[in-house]
Amino acid sequence: MHAISPSFCLGRLGRLTLILSLVSVLAFTLVSLSPVDPVSAYIGIDRMQISIEQEQRIIERWGLDRPAPERFFIWAKNVLTGDLGRSMIFNEPVTKVIGKRFVTSLWLMASAWLLSGVLGFVLGVVAGTNRNSLADRVIRLYSYTLASTPSFWLGLVLLAVFSVSLGWTPICCATPPGVSPDDASLWERLHHLILPAATLSVIGVAQIALHTREKTIDAMHSEYALFALAQGESRTGVAWRHAVRNVALPAVTLQFASLGELFGGSVLAEQVFSYPGLGRATVEAGIRGDVPLLLGITLFSAVFVFSGNLIADILYGVLDPRIRIGAEEAK
Amino acid sequence: MHAFRKICAGRFALAAAIGLLALATLAVTPALAKDTLTLAIKGEPDDGYDPTLGWGRYGNPLFQSTLLKRDENLNIVNDLATSAELSADGLTWNVTIREDAKFSDGSPLTAEDVAYTFNTAATSSGKVDLINMDKATAIGDYTVQLTLKKRDTTFINRLVSLGIVPKAAHGPGYARKPIGSGPYRMVEWNEGQQMIAERNPHYYGAEPFFKRLVFLFTDEDTSFAAAKAGKVDVVVVPQVLAVQTIPGMVLHPVKSVDNRGLMFPCVPNTGKVTDKGSPIGNDVTADLAIRKAINLSINRQVLVKGVLEGFGRPAYGPCDGLPWDNPANSFKDADPKAARKILADAGWKDTDGDGIVDKDGIKAEFTIIYPADRAIRQYLALAVADMLKPIGIHAVVEGKRSWDEIKHLMHSSVIVFGWGAHDPIEVYQLYSSHHAGDGWNNPGYYVNAKVDEYLDGAISAESYEASLNLWKKAQWDGKTGSDVHGDAPWAWLVNLEHTYFISEHLDVGVSQVEPHGHGWPITANIQKWTWKD
């Protein structure tokens, strides 16, 4: 398999290193140019009770008294040794903050990702096999509408209807009030995931469904499909036995390549549902000028998205032997 | 239309499916027993529950206890301390502490822990300002000596607000797993979501009624929705939402010194700038007559009713009703006639007939600036601008995106600020000329030698009690001062009332006049709260 070849690995590693260095320089520059004064944000309304001397000490504790390039090189040097620094607002190592928050986000992102992938694929295949039927028209309309719906708005609507008016779903958070995450049952966790996951998956469903629909239509009109139909195979049979494998390829790629959007979407969804994941931490870090945390999250998300694309590349070869064989023959 | 119906149908089907699933799981959510109280009052300390970094500075560290505390009437009484005395030279605090105090892990609390806490807080560079402390020393097991670098009567507020941590168990991880001698101990904290506390079995005081406390750290809208859904017992709401009703809950408004006021630049614009390049001075507001006229013409009662929905009271000073407030600050406002007379006497006349008074070719115009995302400040600015029109003063109202932007303008424009702390040092920073323009201190460059003298005298008085009178005199001594009778460097507008909805079964006793921090201060007497059926 080409995925394992050393040159492939090296190439990807080089690309990742380049991306990470560019991303960190860019992110640091942007944050340094931001007008947000982290010390003011930290002191807040206590300003009048903190003397100038004490404020100076806080500035020194955070190292903000040094020039920006110097701070960047200190940071970069530490990162190379695996130390992402200490979050200013959470007073904890950045890696620890990201780790804790990501575990919570992972539940949300994973369920939304699965939901959008499975639902989008099924809807797309159904629509594509029965082109121009009622089901197709409904699914298409549904997808077009979803594709143009802002997810945070949909989240607010769902929250207003199901949590506030009907009281079926929880208002917020990842577990019920008074129950710690360790004691929460699987049901409780799922209960709290329903709305945010539904909101977040909306981003993916429409895209996957429409894409899959197009590919299914192509497949249903291919010569092998026509041949199968001519032999008396039903449309469903053709779709299931002959088209799905061909259609799955672009769908899976798209699904893995969409991790970036998923990450971005989770920021909004977590904000709406007070879901204490990485998305909310990102917002906090941004509005309060927590440079180490913001840089840490940026690096983390870059790796996350990169991995998604990498997996998509590898799966391509697994799912479609032609690509793998083609690559081997090319050598 | 046709299409729209289909979308609705599609979405409804999806919604119904999700709804059914939710219904199936609803039965699993446990009903909360009465020994557990759920509060949604904001105020999550992101950096943890470490008093040496600033946790608990609003008087109630919950997990830790303090040497002294403020009671319902804001009098300073003993907590951990059995006696706390300041030496005659005002430089040494001798504090003896009770001998039965234990931390929640069962270990005894000694003078060593107290000394450690103060010394650590002094060097950890957080929100605890102990710049004036020289050192803390344990003398014997239950006596501690705190020495100051110079006399400072406001230092007593550190004895009131600094929670004592155990020397043996304090370290980098402490902020997330606090151990203290307070009425509650932490069970668990899930950042960004909730914190669970339970009674501390080793607490030396009366046993609190509620066994468990659950603090939800959700944002305002979510908390309100949760209260409407019957999930919380105490919720803090903004004044605009306080007029609503929540089934099973009653409104609990609490007086506060959470004030809003207009800060005036008190020096004329001579082209000077700060070392950061911000312009200094305003020719219009530098005139005392303008500042006094503005103060007199504003109808504060209308502001309270119109902007705060009635949840507040007029403000006449920065510390209304606190022990260091001078009752003489109040005056008859909503008096445009008197305001016009003051302007006319000072030579402000409308010479060109445009409705705006002028003097020496300068029109009575300035900009009132506020952070655009603060609705109350915006409404106050707009209402004040309206009230100034009839007396011929033209105020332009302008929202800015952030404090970082306002910081640049605060020496030359009128700003809607809000303060209010349980510490008179604030009065010092607002009015003293020694640090004028330094950071956020006295941004209007207000100078009055007599006021400075009183303020310095209050800081270096022989005791906190003795300082109170001097703080009052700095505001108005019968001849001069920083209130409206004097130099009027500010137009204080309103003190908010903090509004909470609490369960109709909950008795929270008497709440103290709250400082600026909205939410957490209501827990100051939480160990006295009870549940009645």
Side-chain angles (χ1 to χ4, degrees):
Chain A
M1 267 180 69
H2 79 141
I4 311 296
S5 82
S7 66
F8 177 84
C9 288
L10 270 176
R12 289 305 151 119
L13 203 66
R15 201 181 290 181
L16 180 63
T17 319
L18 188 68
I19 289 175
L20 289 185
S21 3
L22 286 178
V23 157
S24 44
V25 171
L26 187 69
F28 188 85
T29 314
L30 285 177
V31 185
S32 326
L33 293 177
S34 133
V36 175
D37 172 12
V39 179
S40 282
Y42 172 71
I43 296 176
I45 54 169
D46 294 318
R47 223 169 259 148
M48 284 295 155
Q49 293 159 73
I50 303 279
S51 61
I52 303 295
E53 293 91 334
Q54 183 69 17
E55 196 175 328
Q56 194 53 40
R57 286 194 181 183
I58 296 170
I59 292 172
E60 279 161 24
R61 168 159 75 110
W62 286 347
L64 296 176
D65 49 341
R66 294 186 210 145
E70 193 188 332
R71 275 189 284 145
F72 180 74
F73 283 115
I74 294 174
W75 177 83
K77 214 173 82 191
N78 288 337
V79 169
L80 289 180
T81 64
D83 175 15
L84 284 179
R86 214 175 166 79
S87 159
M88 280 146 60
I89 52 175
F90 294 107
N91 189 30
E92 223 182 1
V94 167
T95 42
K96 227 170 155 180
V97 177
I98 294 180
K100 267 195 283 196
R101 296 294 178 122
F102 184 63
V103 170
T104 321
S105 284
L106 197 62
W107 278 79
L108 177 60
M109 289 203 268
S111 50
W113 187 75
L114 277 178
L115 202 66
S116 66
V118 172
L119 207 63
F121 188 70
V122 170
L123 287 180
V125 171
V126 168
T129 20
N130 309 295
R131 194 181 176 187
N132 289 335
S133 67
L134 180 70
D136 180 31
R137 291 211 302 271
V138 171
I139 290 172
R140 237 161 50 206
L141 240 163
Y142 173 71
S143 302
Y144 285 138
T145 317
L146 283 190
S148 51
T149 305
S151 60
F152 73 92
W153 177 83
L154 182 66
L156 287 175
V157 171
L158 291 180
L159 195 67
V161 174
F162 294 104
S163 300
V164 180
S165 300
L166 297 173
W168 290 352
T169 43
I171 304 280
C172 75
C173 318
T175 48
V179 179
S180 69
D182 297 339
D183 301 339
S185 65
L186 189 64
W187 268 124
E188 285 170 338
R189 278 167 172 269
L190 288 179
H191 188 201
H192 282 254
L193 264 179
I194 295 170
L195 283 194
T199 309
L200 187 52
S201 64
V202 158
I203 300 170
V205 167
Q207 212 188 357
I208 302 267
L210 290 174
H211 220 86
T212 309
R213 178 180 171 276
E214 286 303 314
K215 292 287 163 196
T216 311
I217 290 171
D218 286 352
M220 293 301 283
H221 284 90
S222 64
E223 283 172 4
Y224 61 84
L226 289 177
F227 185 65
L229 281 173
Q231 284 195 324
E233 180 79 272
S234 69
R235 287 190 75 81
T236 324
V238 174
W240 183 242
R241 274 188 279 276
H242 303 284
V244 164
R245 186 165 172 138
N246 291 301
V247 174
L249 190 59
V252 166
T253 319
L254 206 62
Q255 180 70 355
F256 276 97
S258 74
L259 283 186
E261 283 161 57
L262 194 70
F263 203 88
S266 78
V267 173
L268 293 174
E270 288 180 13
Q271 207 60 21
V272 172
F273 293 97
S274 299
Y275 201 87
L278 201 53
R280 267 172 79 89
T282 314
V283 175
E284 278 290 296
I287 56 178
R288 293 173 57 184
D290 187 342
V291 181
L293 183 57
L294 207 55
L295 289 180
I297 293 177
T298 310
L299 289 188
F300 180 78
S301 57
V303 172
F304 186 74
V305 173
F306 183 86
S307 321
N309 288 324
L310 185 67
I311 294 172
D313 272 2
I314 295 171
L315 279 183
Y316 233 99
V318 176
L319 283 176
D320 192 343
R322 283 172 302 177
I323 291 172
R324 194 168 69 223
I325 291 162
E328 276 158 14
E329 276 172 359
K331 277 187 232 161
Chain B
M1 198 58 221
H2 182 65
F4 182 67
R5 237 180 262 138
K6 259 184 203 149
I7 306 161
C8 284
R11 198 174 281 172
F12 185 75
L14 179 75
I18 295 168
L20 276 178
L21 193 62
L23 205 60
T25 59
L26 195 66
V28 187
T29 317
L32 293 175
K34 268 190 217 75
D35 56 1
T36 299
L37 201 62
T38 309
L39 307 94
I41 53 169
K42 302 200 290 189
E44 177 177 33
D46 292 320
D47 54 354
Y49 300 83
D50 187 345
T52 63
L53 284 174
W55 158 245
R57 62 196 177 282
Y58 295 132
N60 178 32
L62 196 69
F63 308 120
Q64 295 89 5
S65 46
T66 49
L67 294 174
L68 305 174
K69 65 179 174 189
R70 288 188 192 276
D71 67 7
E72 286 95 337
N73 304 315
L74 299 178
N75 295 318
I76 294 179
V77 294
N78 287 338
D79 189 352
L80 264 179
T82 51
S83 85
E85 272 154 25
L86 186 60
S87 64
D89 62 1
L91 289 175
T92 310
W93 275 95
N94 286 299
V95 184
T96 41
I97 56 168
R98 51 196 304 154
E99 299 178 11
D100 59 347
K102 279 184 183 163
F103 291 111
S104 55
D105 62 356
S107 61
L109 188 161
T110 66
E112 201 60 56
D113 298 305
V114 178
Y116 170 81
T117 303
F118 275 83
N119 288 326
T120 307
T123 53
S124 62
S125 307
K127 290 186 206 173
V128 184
D129 190 336
L130 286 171
I131 291 288
N132 270 343
M133 190 184 81
D134 181 31
K135 63 176 190 293
T137 327
I139 297 169
D141 280 351
Y142 300 103
T143 309
V144 69
Q145 203 172 61
L146 310 167
T147 50
L148 308 183
K149 289 177 192 155
K150 57 177 199 239
R151 284 159 79 118
D152 179 4
T153 54
T154 64
F155 187 80
I156 194 170
N157 292 296
R158 304 289 83 77
L159 308 188
V160 168
S161 60
L162 184 57
I164 304 303
V165 302
K167 185 180 180 182
H170 189 260
Y174 178 86
R176 281 174 165 72
K177 297 227 177 317
I179 289 171
S181 51
Y184 285 91
R185 67 176 175 190
M186 179 185 285
V187 175
E188 184 153 27
W189 177 31
N190 319 118
E191 285 122 306
Q193 183 172 336
Q194 64 174 353
M195 189 263 291
I196 306 173
E198 66 180 17
R199 273 199 299 246
N200 171 12
H202 299 287
Y203 182 51
Y204 51 82
E207 187 179 63
F209 180 91
F210 294 100
K211 207 171 135 194
R212 267 164 88 87
L213 302 176
V214 178
F215 293 89
L216 290 186
F217 298 127
T218 44
D219 61 29
E220 226 157 53
D221 301 323
T222 312
S223 302
F224 191 68
K228 283 223 145 179
K231 302 280 185 216
V232 296
D233 302 305
V234 180
V235 63
V236 59
V237 296
Q239 284 80 4
V240 281
L241 286 183
V243 288
Q244 299 215 11
T245 51
I246 301 182
M249 299 187 99
V250 290
L251 184 68
H252 178 65
V254 180
K255 258 184 160 185
S256 82
V257 282
D258 189 346
N259 52 36
R260 300 288 180 274
L262 302 179
M263 187 282 308
F264 299 120
C266 291
V267 288
N269 181 5
T270 55
K272 266 208 297 188
V273 292
T274 63
D275 50 7
K276 295 227 165 64
S278 312
I280 300 174
N282 184 310
D283 292 336
V284 178
T285 59
D287 190 324
L288 175 62
I290 292 277
R291 303 199 298 267
K292 277 204 176 184
I294 292 171
N295 261 296
L296 289 184
S297 65
I298 293 168
N299 188 336
R300 291 168 175 75
Q301 211 66 54
V302 164
L303 293 180
V304 169
K305 247 175 111 181
V307 178
L308 303 181
E309 306 285 348
F311 296 111
R313 57 196 169 111
Y316 298 104
C319 51
D320 287 353
L322 297 183
W324 47 92
D325 169 49
N326 190 340
N329 290 346
S330 75
F331 57 93
K332 185 177 168 291
D333 62 356
D335 192 350
K337 231 172 100 184
R340 256 177 264 159
K341 187 174 178 309
I342 290 178
L343 288 178
D345 289 350
W348 291 91
K349 283 192 196 78
D350 185 7
T351 50
D352 55 359
D354 65 349
I356 303 168
V357 296
D358 49 82
K359 179 182 171 183
D360 306 334
I362 298 171
K363 269 187 201 298
E365 281 178 328
F366 51 81
T367 312
I368 303 182
I369 287 171
Y370 59 90
D373 57 344
R374 311 287 176 92
I376 287 183
R377 295 181 203 226
Q378 181 187 3
Y379 298 151
L380 285 174
L382 286 166
V384 166
D386 243 17
M387 290 172 182
L388 297 183
K389 239 180 241 157
I391 64 165
I393 292 179
H394 181 218
V396 182
V397 174
E398 208 175 306
K400 291 285 172 195
R401 272 172 304 167
S402 68
W403 285 113
D404 299 302
E405 215 172 321
I406 294 174
K407 204 172 173 178
H408 182 64
L409 300 164
M410 65 184 177
H411 308 299
S412 55
S413 293
V414 179
I415 314 283
V416 189
F417 274 121
W419 307 107
H422 283 173
D423 188 339
I425 191 72
E426 194 170 277
V427 175
Y428 186 88
Q429 315 279 35
L430 288 175
Y431 295 121
S432 164
S433 71
H434 300 324
H435 289 287
D438 218 351
W440 297 83
N441 299 339
N442 188 359
Y445 289 85
Y446 167 61
V447 185
N448 179 330
K450 196 75 191 161
V451 171
D452 278 343
E453 194 185 313
Y454 287 130
L455 292 176
D456 293 334
I459 292 268
S460 58
E462 67 218 42
S463 69
Y464 165 72
E465 289 76 19
S467 74
L468 294 178
N469 200 31
L470 290 161
W471 292 118
K472 290 178 189 174
K473 278 192 165 163
Q475 295 156 54
W476 181 243
D477 68 353
K479 282 197 204 89
T480 186
S482 61
D483 73 356
V484 174
H485 308 298
D487 304 321
W490 285 70
W492 295 100
L493 303 174
V494 292
N495 290 298
L496 311 189
E497 230 162 41
H498 289 159
T499 43
Y500 305 85
F501 278 103
I502 62 172
S503 163
E504 56 193 8
H505 296 293
L506 186 64
D507 181 0
V508 297
V510 182
S511 303
Q512 43 171 240
V513 174
E514 293 185 352
H516 190 111
H518 197 169
W520 200 266
I522 198 181
T523 64
N525 66 340
I526 200 163
Q527 60 264 51
K528 291 185 187 162
W529 293 12
T530 55
W531 190 266
K532 51 188 202 283
D533 283 309

